[in-house]
Amino acid sequence: MAFKYQHDLVTVADMSETEVLHKIKLAQLFKAGKRITLNRPVYAMNLFFENSTRTHTSFDMAERRLGMQVLQFDANASSVTKGETLEDTVKTIQAIGVDLAVIRHSENEYYNDLLKQNLDISIVNAGDGSGQHPSQSLLDMMTIYEEFGTFKDIKVSIIGDLNHSRVARSNMELLTRLGAKVAFAGPNQWYDDKFAKYGAHLTVDEVVQDSDVVMLLRVQKERLGDELNDFDEGKYHQKYGLTKERYATMKENSIIMHPAPVNRGVEIDSNLVESDKSRIFKQMENGMYMRMVILTDVMVAKGIVNKTDLLGVD
Ligand code: CP
């Protein structure tokens, strides 16, 4: 079944299995060295209002690898510090000739007001508050698919700071749609009953032993507020982290994932970050190729890349 190439990519909420599989296949072609042609010069700008290493750098790299021109933007040196709104900032860069804005912002669904205006500039969501992180979710799907060749009945446990996590929200939604079996673990105060429709909330020991994918989440200290005063890293690690003891109980072909940055010694024992089962750096590598796909598909919708140039991929 075909899917519609979208002018903007802000959420995985309506993304079909067909589109996810298309994106994984195209990312694998990019990984194998595929190149595409842009029909005209394309200008991109990465507007990050929250800190980032992986997402920002890999979008930047993906844009350059695709032959786009990347304009620099520093939120702290921009007119946002003088009170300019996000909407006016985006309209400004559109007026200057930017084709595509990759945006990370602390406000959930910041993109709704922008999309309502049917702007020419495309919006790619690089993470909104505790809402969605579509590019992370797609690179995670790619990493799982490369490992298992399917999503059907793959058991994925998502462990830790679920409430604050846009990665968890995007992934529980997409994994379930693709046929994976999701389970959760972690502190009760970071779990919300609205996650129950995606999977059961179990103990860390239970899910680690039973999972094909143990997906750990970063404890988002910057979003904990007063809770941070009582937070004890050592206690958290023993109670909810992937310790060496828990690692020893994992299934033979199971893998560890983490969107990173990692709090070493908190959600995962530091030595396990580079363990045989860890795919944490593979996720980062896949992220660059998946972001090339996200940008390419948006450019297909804009008529800047010919669909036929994707050769063999619908
Ligand atoms: N996983 C992730 O979004 O990392 P960054 O915050 O470094 O982009």
Side-chain angles (χ1 to χ4, degrees):
M1 202 169 49
F3 66 92
K4 189 170 182 287
Y5 287 85
Q6 302 288 343
H7 179 273
D8 311 277
L9 193 149
V10 295
T11 170
V12 294
D14 302 319
M15 198 171 283
S16 66
E17 181 177 1
T18 309
E19 183 170 357
V20 174
L21 292 177
H22 150 83
K23 283 180 160 49
I24 292 171
K25 283 181 190 153
L26 186 53
Q28 289 176 324
L29 290 180
F30 278 133
K31 208 174 187 178
K34 178 180 175 56
R35 288 172 177 272
I36 56 160
T37 305
L38 310 184
N39 294 335
R40 62 165 175 83
V42 181
Y43 297 92
M45 207 160 180
N46 302 315
L47 284 66
F48 278 65
F49 298 93
E50 279 190 338
N51 292 342
S52 165
T53 298
R54 273 144 293 275
T55 314
H56 195 167
T57 312
S58 57
F59 264 117
D60 198 327
M61 179 68 92
E63 288 152 0
R64 289 166 201 266
R65 286 213 188 191
L66 289 168
M68 302 163 87
Q69 307 291 319
V70 186
L71 280 76
Q72 294 308 307
F73 177 83
D74 174 358
N76 293 324
S78 74
S79 288
V80 170
T81 60
K82 301 176 207 165
E84 189 162 49
T85 62
L86 176 63
E87 198 175 310
D88 283 341
T89 303
V90 172
K91 283 181 180 169
T92 300
I93 64 169
Q94 173 178 267
I96 290 165
V98 174
D99 297 288
L100 199 147
V102 176
I103 305 178
R104 172 173 287 190
H105 202 280
S106 57
E107 190 184 316
N108 283 22
E109 299 184 9
Y110 69 81
Y111 45 80
N112 281 340
D113 288 341
L114 293 170
L115 296 189
K116 273 183 208 150
Q117 307 205 31
N118 293 319
L119 301 170
D120 285 338
I121 190 169
S122 288
I123 308 298
V124 174
N125 182 13
D128 60 296
S130 58
Q132 285 268 323
H133 197 342
S135 65
Q136 178 71 45
S137 187
L138 287 165
L139 76 88
D140 287 347
M141 297 310 122
M142 178 180 176
T143 307
I144 293 170
Y145 192 81
E146 282 191 345
E147 196 71 34
F148 300 102
T150 182
F151 296 100
K152 182 101 182 70
D153 295 332
I154 297 296
K155 292 181 176 176
V156 183
S157 54
I158 310 180
I159 304 174
D161 190 356
L162 295 155
N163 239 345
H164 298 108
S165 177
R166 52 196 173 212
V167 178
R169 277 189 181 73
S170 300
N171 279 351
M172 66 180 81
E173 204 174 319
L174 200 47
L175 283 164
T176 307
R177 196 174 310 139
L178 295 171
K181 306 278 182 226
V182 175
F184 303 105
N188 287 334
Q189 72 270 24
W190 292 345
Y191 177 80
D192 193 303
D193 286 340
K194 62 178 177 273
F195 302 146
K197 66 178 174 185
Y198 298 106
H201 191 226
L202 305 169
T203 68
V204 176
D205 289 320
E206 282 172 315
V207 297
V208 165
Q209 287 168 34
D210 194 40
S211 295
D212 299 302
V213 179
V214 173
M215 186 179 285
L216 303 161
L217 299 173
R218 180 173 71 86
V219 176
Q220 300 196 32
K221 295 179 199 163
E222 73 277 18
R223 298 190 209 269
L224 289 188
D226 291 343
E227 260 189 278
L228 189 59
N229 299 330
D230 301 324
F231 183 72
D232 183 314
E233 295 190 347
K235 281 188 189 157
Y236 181 89
H237 183 61
Q238 285 310 317
K239 203 161 177 194
Y240 303 109
L242 188 64
T243 58
K244 288 197 182 77
E245 292 73 25
R246 289 194 178 105
Y247 180 79
T249 70
M250 286 177 66
K251 293 200 291 193
E252 190 180 343
N253 294 320
S254 59
I255 60 169
I256 300 166
M257 294 174 65
H258 188 309
V262 175
N263 293 308
R264 286 176 182 255
V266 183
E267 53 267 2
I268 179 169
D269 182 290
S270 183
N271 291 318
L272 298 180
V273 174
E274 288 87 6
S275 62
D276 288 348
K277 290 185 178 297
S278 172
R279 299 293 179 270
I280 296 172
F281 289 98
K282 175 91 173 288
Q283 286 173 267
M284 295 175 205
E285 181 193 351
N286 284 345
M288 203 283 299
Y289 296 110
M290 184 49 79
R291 286 169 179 129
M292 286 177 79
V293 173
I294 289 168
L295 297 164
T296 298
D297 284 353
V298 165
M299 288 194 288
V300 170
K302 291 167 86 71
I304 300 169
V305 171
N306 297 334
K307 196 175 154 186
T308 48
D309 200 11
L310 306 189
L311 214 66
V313 177
D314 289 334

